[in-house]
Amino acid sequence: MEVREGRADEAETLSALVLRSKASWGYDAAFLAACAPELRIRAEEVAVRRIVVAQDARGGVLGVASLEGEPPTAALGLLFVEPAAIGRGVGRLLYREVVRRAAELGVGRLVIDADPHAAGFYRAMGAAVGDDACGVEELVRFEVAPVPLPEWARAWTGGAPAVHVGNVADFHAQFGDGEGDRERRAAADHYACLAAFCSPEPAALVLPRVVPHGWIERVGRELGWSAVEVYDGLVGPGGGGLVDALRGRPALLGRLAETGLPWVAWGWTRALGEVTGRALGEGELRYESKSAAHELFAGILARGGHPRIVLPGQWRARTRREAVRLLGARVRAGEATVVKTEHGVGGSGTFIVTPRRVREAGGVRAVLRRLPRGPLLVEEYVPGPERDAAGGPRDLTCDGFVDADGRVWVVGGAVMEVRDGCYAGATVGPSVVPAWAERPLVAFGRAVGRELADSGYRGWFDVDFVADGSGRLAPTETNLRLTGPSVAFMVAARLDALRGAGHLVRIVDRVGLGARLPEAPFDDLCRELARECAGLGAVFVPAIPTGAFEPSPWLGFLVAARDPEVLDAAEALVRAGARRVGADFAGLEEDGAGSRR
């Protein structure tokens, strides 16, 4: 389907379609006759009312909509679908087109006076029930605040769809942080599915693992994507790098290059730079190192101007003996400590060591025997409020990127869910970051971005913080790649453009499923969760589907809503649905490879 502008010479044809669509709700002939003058489209009104038409590939008209009035307030005057085409996404396509055009026109408030039969559709599209009456008792008033994609989102890919590369394992392997281990590489290949959300709109997606048939189409319907070319299953059971697999497929590389579209990777590597023509500078990724990032933070703070930022002490232990000495001194002083490896993702390689844990383990050496070999970083633990304390959230992050010209874009702050040092999810959106924290968080994130730009780095970055409970933030690391919060920012930008401003988006790293599912029941589960979330006024997006086929199955997902309570309810609904799977599919024989393509 496509949308085009209406023509004056088809006014009568469109009027007839409107009446057929209205009649599909079961109204009698007398009522329809009374409505006919109001619903009629006149030839001279087609341009004035900004009539748009949805048509199929053969030019058949499937639906009609209108954007009426002038900024700052306008109305969705018509939205009607040919009865035979209802359920095919025509209404969704037209609605989103009107919202897009309203944003371009500068409309700040789009009013919809809806037939009660269509009220469910507008709620599902994200419209909010209006505060004022529409003046016609039988109609329901809805409102939308149209906004275009934010400037940062357009700058990220130059306003164009992009080729997304899920090279999570490749990125981490270049730092020698253990991603060569088969279990951890398998997990990285699952998380590569998040590359679908590396920009607000993908044109092509390159993935190491096979993904479910209908997954990208389901996600695309929620996020208004055009057809996405999916190249999956590139890395076989024996492992290997995604870029190596691409190099072994010159026809595919040529096909992607011919699109002329920008490439967006989960993280840049020298090998990926070679195949895309984006040279990776010497030392460009140095601040992915936790100790290098700490030195960067110290240099920024030494120059002043960030009074609400405090830097925890950090010491490098080159040997286990040195780590024992440093950690033992802190334990004797009754201090909690964070022990880190130089690299690691999502909290891997980060351990919180308390005096109590040392006693329970039988001493410092016993604790350290459980940690990875190699140099370790010993860092002060910053005490702070728990999530439910009055002081607010504990773990925050600031995301941004450095564009090709070295300009720093700060996207915003997010609140992360961190459990025992490990990342478990994040929430972005209006007022998520406490007011006291937002300005210092963004200011320090921008300062880090400028340092990264000066060092030659180009790409996405974030700065992670912990709150100390007294109105200060302690930066803990930088990530020179995309992350879970960055995915949430991309989805929030896209939903705001499709459905109106103000979305909160939460990404949940993984939730266990009660049973391992064949592909068809998994798709049914996602359809049911999407329907139930829509009933709450929320959006559900399955973000990491491939974990559902593991022996210990799990799912990564996003939920979105404008109200924090609705967002919490949607997350709880998805978690309950995931647990329920075990009961629903008890006794179902696992199909294994036979259920997968």
Side-chain angles (χ1 to χ4, degrees):
M1 291 181 289
E2 64 177 5
V3 177
R4 61 168 173 83
E5 297 197 3
R7 301 189 307 268
D9 63 1
E10 60 185 346
E12 292 304 317
T13 299
L14 299 179
S15 296
L17 183 155
V18 168
L19 285 174
R20 285 195 301 275
S21 183
K22 187 77 171 178
S24 69
W25 294 119
Y27 293 117
D28 59 31
F31 179 83
L32 292 171
C35 292
E38 182 182 351
L39 296 177
R40 183 185 176 195
I41 299 171
R42 295 169 176 81
E44 65 272 17
E45 296 175 339
V46 170
V48 174
R49 298 177 69 180
R50 302 187 188 89
I51 300 288
V52 293
V53 172
Q55 67 180 24
D56 61 22
R58 296 182 299 276
V61 175
L62 303 176
V64 60
S66 68
L67 172 60
E68 305 182 23
E70 300 297 331
T73 300
L76 191 159
L78 301 170
L79 200 166
F80 290 94
V81 176
E82 184 68 57
I86 290 173
R88 291 168 51 188
V90 179
R92 181 190 299 256
L93 180 68
L94 286 167
Y95 176 84
R96 288 173 170 172
E97 179 66 14
V98 169
V99 172
R100 184 189 68 80
R101 291 179 179 227
E104 287 185 349
L105 194 63
V107 172
R109 177 174 177 253
L110 182 67
V111 176
I112 307 163
D113 291 334
D115 185 300
H117 293 97
F121 167 79
Y122 289 113
R123 288 191 186 95
M125 290 294 96
V129 176
D131 293 331
D132 57 341
C134 66
V136 180
E137 186 176 349
E138 294 81 8
L139 302 181
V140 181
R141 170 153 290 185
F142 290 90
E143 293 183 5
V144 181
V147 291
L149 272 176
E151 191 177 0
W152 68 259
R154 296 193 298 274
W156 174 235
T157 61
V163 176
H164 294 193
V165 183
N167 63 333
V168 175
D170 288 15
F171 180 83
H172 297 306
Q174 69 185 325
F175 301 107
D177 65 348
E179 287 294 347
D181 174 81
R182 177 173 296 182
E183 183 177 344
R184 294 188 66 198
R185 185 171 188 101
D189 286 347
H190 287 309
Y191 283 95
C193 294
L194 293 177
F197 313 96
C198 281
S199 82
E201 185 174 7
L205 179 59
V206 181
L207 293 173
R209 288 205 173 212
V210 174
V211 295
H213 280 90
W215 169 62
I216 204 69
E217 289 82 4
R218 178 168 301 283
V219 173
R221 283 195 295 273
E222 294 291 351
L223 300 183
W225 292 342
S226 300
V228 180
E229 297 177 9
V230 179
Y231 303 98
D232 59 345
L234 268 62
V235 176
L242 184 61
V243 174
D244 289 342
L246 269 175
R247 281 175 164 157
R249 294 167 171 81
L252 173 55
L253 260 181
R255 166 75 188 97
L256 295 172
E258 286 171 2
T259 66
L261 296 173
W263 292 65
V264 179
W266 187 255
W268 283 98
T269 66
R270 194 167 302 282
L272 182 61
E274 289 171 356
V275 301
T276 62
R278 189 265 198 220
L280 194 66
E282 188 68 31
E284 189 174 339
L285 300 176
R286 70 174 69 93
Y287 294 116
E288 183 73 19
S289 153
K290 292 182 175 64
S291 62
H294 190 273
E295 293 173 2
L296 175 66
F297 301 153
I300 293 171
L301 293 176
R303 294 191 289 274
H306 299 278
R308 303 284 289 276
I309 305 295
V310 57
L311 187 64
Q314 186 187 88
W315 305 272
R316 183 178 177 85
R318 292 181 295 273
T319 64
R320 284 296 179 93
R321 178 175 295 181
E322 191 173 349
V324 168
R325 179 180 60 79
L326 289 168
L327 191 55
R330 291 189 57 79
V331 168
R332 288 190 295 274
E335 300 285 352
T337 305
V338 181
V339 180
K340 301 177 176 180
T341 55
E342 192 68 68
H343 297 95
V345 56
S348 65
T350 298
F351 309 88
I352 299 173
V353 180
T354 64
R356 178 179 177 180
R357 288 187 177 182
V358 171
R359 289 194 299 271
E360 291 174 348
V364 170
R365 284 185 171 83
V367 170
L368 290 177
R369 275 198 295 269
R370 303 174 184 175
L371 305 187
R373 295 189 175 277
L376 295 171
L377 303 175
V378 177
E379 187 174 286
E380 286 182 290
Y381 176 80
V382 178
E386 298 297 328
R387 171 174 286 276
D388 58 354
R394 164 72 164 157
D395 297 278
L396 302 102
T397 188
C398 179
D399 276 51
F401 64 92
V402 182
D403 67 20
D405 296 325
R407 181 178 176 184
V408 177
W409 298 79
V410 174
V411 173
V415 171
M416 295 191 294
E417 177 74 22
V418 177
R419 299 172 189 163
D420 198 24
C422 292
Y423 167 84
T427 304
V428 308
S431 302
V432 165
V433 175
W436 67 264
E438 186 166 12
R439 182 172 294 181
L441 178 139
V442 168
F444 193 77
R446 190 181 304 278
V448 170
R450 286 195 292 264
E451 294 289 333
L452 294 174
D454 290 345
S455 75
Y457 178 69
R458 301 292 183 266
W460 199 273
F461 71 90
D462 70 43
V463 185
D464 293 344
F465 300 83
V466 293
D468 74 352
S470 63
R472 298 184 301 175
L473 297 171
T476 58
E477 66 180 32
T478 60
N479 293 295
L480 306 188
R481 52 182 167 79
L482 290 155
T483 61
S486 64
V487 163
F489 279 116
M490 301 290 182
V491 171
R494 186 66 178 173
L495 288 176
D496 281 356
L498 292 175
R499 298 161 54 94
H503 283 87
L504 304 164
V505 175
R506 177 171 298 157
I507 182 168
V508 176
D509 196 49
R510 59 191 291 164
V511 59
L513 292 173
R516 183 183 182 189
L517 299 180
E519 191 170 299
F522 175 75
D523 190 58
D524 291 342
L525 171 67
C526 291
R527 182 183 302 110
E528 179 67 12
L529 292 175
R531 186 189 65 80
E532 292 178 352
C533 283
L536 296 174
V539 176
F540 164 75
V541 176
I544 306 177
T546 52
F549 310 110
E550 287 293 302
S552 298
W554 56 279
L555 171 69
F557 65 91
L558 296 119
V559 286
R562 290 197 181 87
D563 183 278
E565 292 183 359
V566 174
L567 190 72
D568 291 342
E571 180 187 354
L573 186 154
V574 175
R575 289 184 179 275
R579 290 193 299 269
R580 193 172 62 232
V581 167
D584 290 348
F585 294 97
L588 182 69
E589 182 178 358
E590 297 216 7
D591 194 16
S595 68
R596 309 278 289 119
R597 59 172 166 161

